[in-house]
Amino acid sequence: MFSSKRLSLARKRRRLTAKGLAEMAGVSPVTITRLENGQNEADPATVEKLADVLKYPTSFFFKEEPAPLTKEIVSFRSLKSMSAKERDAALSAGELGVEVYSWLDDHFNLPALNLPSFDPELTPEAAADALRQHWGLGYDPISNLLKLLESKGIRVLGLEENTANVDAFSFWQDDTAYTFLNSYKSAERSIFDAAHELGHLVLHKHGETSGANGDTRSVELEANRFAAAFLMPEEDIRARMPRLITADLIIKAKKRWRVSAMALAYRLSHFDRPMLTEWQYRSICIELGKRGYRSGEPDGIIRESSVLWGKILAELWSDRKNLQNLADDLFLPVGEVEMLLSGILPRAEQSGARNGNERPALRIVE
């Protein structure tokens, strides 16, 4: 049976209005509206036209209805700066990502979720500390946050949205935690984004994280506080940082916690007992800005990549399969699967996945 919701999903993923899709497919806007409302059943010729324009296989439109995502449960950080097309395209990517992981769950033994619920009255800093202790991390720096999230059963995917308005986002669905990461930022700021989304998953599981007219600033600040505390434990910072702190020292020290220089400076100045005065913090920020650390991360670290997907691709390649086979099983264009892996695969594996027949050298990290 033709799925009206899948037509809507594919149209929004392509950032098309109903009118735009109608013009491209040579049908009337009313036809698109009635199909998406389930008022009409699509005839085969119309399905072919729509599939051709949207670049989806016709079989995609006859799968079971997708599990819908709403903006109210997704932690869009910059919702007010996003256009409706950008927001809907990202939500559609989220729905497709859920289907991709459902396929993986049917074919691989993925890590079980290990993300307990904490007292909602905990401060973000206390929740970050509680999660660190639950995961046995102590106060040591985290060497690979993406690997850690995957090992705890959090489903991670990438974004290729070609716009800075669509930041990382996360959501819960059917007691499964999902995080989508955009890689247009530096490696250090992407790590902070991942920790920020972890904060949303921990702090805002049962509440709205965004809304068209709601004020999301408070939950965003809470997620930032969680991320700062999770990545840069106060106990470790106080044990490592001297009393005299300069911009040079922050640039050197930031590599221990794998964060941006600006994030470390902010953390030092926002403890209950700050290690930087307001004047020192402003002076250091000015100096870091002059050296290019406000807009980027000179001499940055290597971007983290997905260990889980590296293993999955290795398994596929061992069976002489690739992402095209995965996409075929899901009735998706392979480009959609590639976009969901954008920025989270090592370059060699990303290239091999696109080439299909080439098998890159894989490095599986245990």
Side-chain angles (χ1 to χ4, degrees):
M1 185 175 182
F2 183 80
S3 168
S4 58
K5 289 186 171 54
R6 288 199 175 273
L7 173 59
S8 179
L9 187 162
R11 175 180 64 76
K12 291 176 180 176
R13 187 71 189 120
R14 299 300 187 219
R15 303 187 187 193
L16 290 172
T17 62
K19 181 181 179 183
L21 174 59
E23 290 175 352
M24 294 176 70
V27 300
S28 73
V30 174
T31 298
I32 301 298
T33 300
R34 292 183 70 83
L35 287 176
E36 291 196 5
N37 289 338
Q39 295 170 288
N40 284 5
E41 180 70 17
D43 61 74
T46 300
V47 174
E48 289 286 348
K49 290 178 183 177
L50 296 173
D52 184 57
V53 170
L54 294 169
K55 308 301 181 189
Y56 277 73
T58 56
S59 51
F60 173 80
F61 300 100
F62 293 92
K63 290 179 65 179
E64 62 183 11
E65 298 280 296
L69 281 182
T70 65
K71 58 183 181 295
E72 285 76 17
I73 66 169
V74 175
S75 66
F76 286 127
R77 193 177 310 179
S78 47
L79 185 62
K80 291 183 178 178
S81 62
M82 294 169 64
S83 68
K85 286 183 180 179
E86 290 172 337
R87 179 201 63 206
D88 290 343
L91 286 172
S92 300
E95 292 176 12
L96 294 177
V98 170
E99 294 189 6
V100 168
Y101 262 107
S102 177
W103 186 91
L104 292 185
D105 276 318
D106 290 339
H107 292 79
F108 298 93
N109 292 318
L110 302 185
L113 184 65
N114 179 4
L115 190 58
S117 298
F118 295 108
D119 184 346
E121 298 301 318
L122 286 179
T123 65
E125 291 80 7
D129 184 63
L131 184 59
R132 270 186 159 269
Q133 303 319 312
H134 177 78
W135 283 352
L137 301 174
Y139 298 116
D140 292 333
I142 297 170
S143 60
N144 188 323
L145 181 59
L146 182 50
K147 178 183 177 184
L148 176 66
L149 297 183
E150 290 180 327
S151 72
K152 302 304 179 185
I154 297 171
R155 309 316 196 200
V156 181
L157 286 167
L159 285 168
E160 191 180 64
E161 297 303 299
N162 297 321
T163 172
N165 291 334
V166 182
D167 220 319
F169 64 84
S170 58
F171 57 88
W172 284 89
Q173 190 168 79
D174 297 331
D175 289 326
T176 302
Y178 296 88
T179 292
F180 288 68
L181 303 176
N182 198 326
S183 60
Y184 71 89
K185 294 182 181 177
S186 68
E188 290 86 345
R189 294 178 191 223
S190 290
I191 289 173
F192 196 91
D193 280 349
H196 175 102
E197 296 309 323
L198 177 61
H200 278 308
L201 293 171
V202 170
L203 300 171
H204 309 127
K205 179 177 180 180
H206 301 296
E208 291 186 357
T209 57
S210 60
N213 300 312
D215 182 1
T216 62
R217 287 175 295 181
S218 60
V219 293
E220 292 305 312
L221 287 174
E222 288 175 355
N224 276 340
R225 288 169 55 191
F226 177 96
F230 190 76
L231 294 175
M232 298 170 278
E234 183 173 354
E235 291 78 358
D236 194 41
I237 286 184
R238 290 196 182 279
R240 298 284 175 174
M241 295 295 283
R243 296 186 63 180
L244 179 59
I245 298 173
T246 63
D248 284 333
L249 182 67
I250 286 178
I251 291 171
K252 180 180 179 181
K254 76 184 184 71
K255 295 183 178 180
R256 174 175 176 79
W257 294 284
R258 299 168 58 80
V259 296
S260 70
M262 288 293 186
L264 179 55
Y266 186 89
R267 178 73 170 145
L268 293 169
S269 66
H270 283 76
F271 289 134
D272 289 339
R273 292 185 295 115
M275 297 179 72
L276 292 175
T277 66
E278 182 66 20
W279 180 84
Q280 288 174 318
Y281 172 63
R282 291 183 181 278
S283 298
I284 286 175
C285 284
I286 291 171
E287 180 61 28
L288 291 176
K290 290 178 180 176
R291 301 189 195 184
Y293 285 92
R294 187 173 295 282
S295 57
E297 212 61 36
D299 191 26
I301 62 175
I302 296 175
R303 183 174 297 281
E304 294 183 348
S305 56
S306 169
V307 175
L308 178 69
W309 274 98
K311 291 183 177 181
I312 289 168
L313 290 179
E315 286 290 328
L316 289 174
W317 282 318
S318 70
D319 291 335
R320 307 187 70 80
K321 294 180 178 178
N322 53 41
L323 289 185
Q324 183 66 61
N325 301 101
L326 188 156
D328 290 345
D329 278 359
L330 289 164
F331 305 119
L332 286 174
V334 69
E336 284 290 4
V337 180
E338 290 173 345
M339 285 195 287
L340 291 170
L341 300 179
S342 178
I344 67 169
L345 293 182
R347 289 184 181 277
E349 293 182 18
Q350 192 113 19
S351 174
R354 289 176 185 276
N355 292 334
N357 294 327
E358 297 180 15
R359 182 176 177 179
L362 290 174
R363 182 175 63 87
I364 302 177
V365 181
E366 300 295 341

